Amino acid sequence: MVFNERIKTITYNEILPSIVDTVNQSNIFTARALSNPKPWRGTTVNQPIQIANSTTGGSFDGMDEFDTSATNNVRSMTWYVKGYEQSIVIPGIEQSVNETSNKGAVRLLGAKMDEAANSLADGVGNLLYGYGNGKDFDGLGLIVDDGTATSSYAGLSRAELPNINGHVTAAAAGKMTLDLVSKAFDDASAAGSSQESPDIAFTTSQIWSLFESLLHKNNSLQAHYDATAITGYNRVNGKTPRGTSVPAQSLKGAWGVDAISYRGKPVVADDKCPNGRFYWINEHYLEYRNLKGQDLNNYNNKNNITEGTYSDIKDQVPSFLQMRDFMQPINQYGKIGWLVMLGNLIHRQPRRNSVITGIKSIA
């Protein structure tokens, strides 16, 4: 019932001691790409690559003279450090009031720290599927491209050096087929080499469900119905080893599956993936290079107060966030801190990735 002012005025109300995050969704690629950072050293990260085979060899007999011409078949991919920041602003009066009655139902400082970490992870998650424009981190849009959207990658021209291109295929009439998914995998693969082939697929939740329907339609999934053996969700997250699918026993059906493996590679739904896209990614060559700020401290990513995606899937927030300690402005009552990421996402062999674009339905 709705109470009158008499009872509302003299009765304490309960404030539950947590904040529920109603904003953020899954951010799986970010968790995996940033799960094992490598240190940044120097002004740039450089990867020498071979751009052609030598043409000085050939058949001979007798005392034929060999070709001793010097070859010039090496170039360098180059990446520059970029940064991302998230402010944490604590007004002094608000914190003082919050710290009075039993320390507050929800501690303001803890709530703002969770909010900052989740906001940063959400923003970076968008960039890591993007095109590395301006000050943005490089993302899959830039890495897995063939000149359709970008003219260069890591300082090299896509037109002059097509071997640095990913493989982009538009779904005909927006239709997803198993042949199309298989071809995209083959385009990015060297036959017989697991290292030189994609080892995971990322797509949207909608396309993941379409793919599930496609597999059912083609009798490619066998559902095992066992009421006592349903193991629940067993999804790929930031800590699942690279090149590893979830256990086969998780492919159990209680009208629907909770994991899909295709060609022995996990297919992962990620809410950050752009609409209509299905990526095959080679994680062997994928690296996040992390620059340690000299005046920054490592920050523990764990949500302490907030319930939601980033507390349920604990590996979604990067564990190597850095923080600048709180400082007090000289002309304001409060304190301001910063969460910071420094570095860049690199892929040392972009031709081993592919993307299908424009998916709307199954054939």
Side-chain angles (χ1 to χ4, degrees):
M1 64 178 289
V2 178
F3 294 101
N4 59 36
E5 292 300 320
R6 178 180 65 254
I7 190 66
K8 288 193 293 184
T9 301
I10 63 174
T11 304
Y12 282 119
N13 293 317
E14 181 181 8
I15 300 177
L16 299 176
S18 66
I19 294 176
V20 175
D21 181 355
T22 65
V23 177
N24 293 299
Q25 298 277 62
S26 70
N27 199 355
I28 305 299
F29 177 68
T30 299
R32 293 187 62 77
L34 307 184
S35 63
N36 186 29
K38 296 184 178 181
W40 187 287
R41 297 185 178 94
T43 57
T44 60
V45 171
N46 300 280
Q47 174 65 65
I49 61 171
Q50 181 179 333
I51 62 170
N53 288 321
S54 173
T55 58
T56 61
S59 302
F60 79 97
D61 62 13
M63 295 296 293
D64 287 353
E65 184 176 331
F66 297 166
D67 186 346
T68 57
S69 302
T71 59
N72 182 22
N73 294 327
V74 176
R75 298 292 184 273
S76 182
M77 301 175 77
T78 303
W79 294 272
Y80 295 87
V81 66
K82 297 185 177 183
Y84 194 93
E85 55 80 20
Q86 179 65 53
S87 62
I88 312 165
V89 180
I90 310 293
I93 292 178
E94 292 184 10
Q95 186 174 16
S96 298
V97 170
N98 179 250
E99 293 290 334
T100 57
S101 177
N102 294 321
K103 297 293 184 180
V106 176
R107 294 192 65 234
L108 176 64
L109 180 59
K112 297 298 287 185
M113 296 294 287
D114 285 358
E115 177 189 294
N118 295 348
S119 298
L120 184 148
D122 183 73
V124 169
N126 293 328
L127 299 185
L128 294 189
Y129 276 103
Y131 295 90
N133 295 323
K135 302 174 184 179
D136 294 348
F137 292 126
D138 290 357
L140 291 185
L142 173 64
I143 294 169
V144 193
D145 189 43
D146 59 0
T148 301
T150 61
S151 60
S152 63
Y153 179 58
L156 299 178
S157 168
R158 295 189 182 278
E160 294 177 10
L161 299 173
N163 281 349
I164 67 167
N165 291 339
H167 303 270
V168 181
T169 304
K175 302 291 186 181
M176 183 186 200
T177 67
L178 291 184
D179 286 344
L180 184 62
V181 174
S182 297
K183 182 180 183 301
F185 183 91
D186 292 339
D187 287 343
S189 302
S193 173
S194 58
Q195 176 178 297
E196 301 301 312
S197 300
D199 48 28
I200 193 170
F202 294 96
T203 191
T204 68
S205 297
Q206 294 79 7
I207 295 176
W208 194 94
S209 294
L210 286 176
F211 192 47
E212 178 190 6
S213 298
L214 187 62
L215 293 172
H216 278 299
K217 179 180 178 181
N218 288 271
N219 296 319
S220 300
L221 275 178
Q222 293 183 350
H224 174 63
Y225 301 97
D226 186 345
T228 64
I230 298 297
T231 59
Y233 285 178
N234 193 346
R235 294 177 175 148
V236 168
N237 61 32
K239 297 299 184 182
T240 305
R242 292 185 173 185
T244 302
S245 187
V246 293
Q249 61 265 29
S250 69
L251 287 169
K252 300 189 176 188
W255 304 114
V257 300
D258 55 39
I260 292 177
S261 179
Y262 190 73
R263 291 198 171 184
K265 314 300 180 185
V267 178
V268 178
D270 186 356
D271 290 318
K272 285 297 181 184
C273 184
N275 289 336
R277 298 207 159 203
F278 184 104
Y279 284 95
W280 279 118
I281 299 299
N282 183 313
E283 291 186 317
H284 175 76
Y285 292 104
L286 182 73
E287 299 176 3
Y288 180 76
R289 291 281 175 159
N290 183 48
L291 175 63
K292 179 66 173 71
Q294 293 303 302
D295 56 347
L296 301 175
N297 299 314
N298 291 333
Y299 177 72
N300 187 339
N301 65 344
K302 182 181 178 181
N303 274 197
N304 295 307
I305 291 174
T306 305
E307 298 180 73
T309 306
Y310 288 111
S311 60
D312 178 46
I313 307 177
K314 298 178 177 60
D315 300 320
Q316 290 207 77
V317 182
S319 61
F320 57 92
L321 293 180
Q322 301 176 74
M323 182 176 176
R324 193 196 74 177
D325 290 337
F326 283 103
M327 302 179 68
Q328 293 183 326
I330 61 173
N331 60 346
Q332 292 176 298
Y333 179 45
K335 57 186 180 182
I336 301 173
W338 300 89
L339 293 181
V340 176
M341 282 179 57
L342 299 172
N344 210 348
L345 183 70
I346 73 173
H347 202 290
R348 301 182 294 112
Q349 181 72 299
R351 71 178 299 190
R352 298 307 179 196
N353 309 291
S354 66
V355 61
I356 305 169
T357 63
I359 300 173
K360 297 178 180 179
S361 61
I362 61 175

